[in-house]
Amino acid sequence: MSHASTLVAPETPAPSLALNEVVPMLIGSTVEEIERELVLQTLARCDGNRTRAARVLGFSVRTLRNKIRLYSADGIDVPAHCD
């Protein structure tokens, strides 16, 4: 059975990054670090809108809020909330 998935792109298109810009960021990073960076950049691109960012990332809003809570507890700056 095949599962088709639809990706929802953010309203603001992401700038294209050359392979030599993306790969160095990934090398030596943990999956957790990469996920955190993806979440934070998506939030920033969505102007802090948690609902829209969760939809783009494929998370529930609750999951996104839990991740944000963990990031904040670790002292990481999270884009301001504006839902």
Side-chain angles (χ1 to χ4, degrees):
M1 193 178 339
S2 142
H3 294 283
S5 65
T6 303
L7 295 177
V8 179
E11 281 76 19
T12 307
S16 296
L17 294 176
L19 188 57
N20 64 346
E21 293 175 309
V22 174
V23 174
M25 180 188 95
L26 300 176
I27 294 173
S29 298
T30 65
V31 171
E32 182 180 330
E33 291 166 338
I34 294 168
E35 180 187 66
R36 181 178 56 236
E37 188 61 29
L38 180 61
V39 167
L40 294 174
Q41 286 190 28
T42 301
L43 272 168
R45 240 174 249 280
C46 291
D47 298 320
N49 184 306
R50 268 74 166 142
T51 303
R52 191 168 52 172
R55 188 172 41 245
V56 169
L57 291 164
F59 294 153
S60 69
V61 174
R62 173 176 271 172
T63 296
L64 180 60
R65 286 182 183 146
N66 288 338
K67 289 181 182 298
I68 290 169
R69 194 171 298 122
L70 290 173
Y71 302 158
S72 295
D74 288 342
I76 296 168
D77 289 330
V78 176
H81 180 276
C82 70
D83 274 344

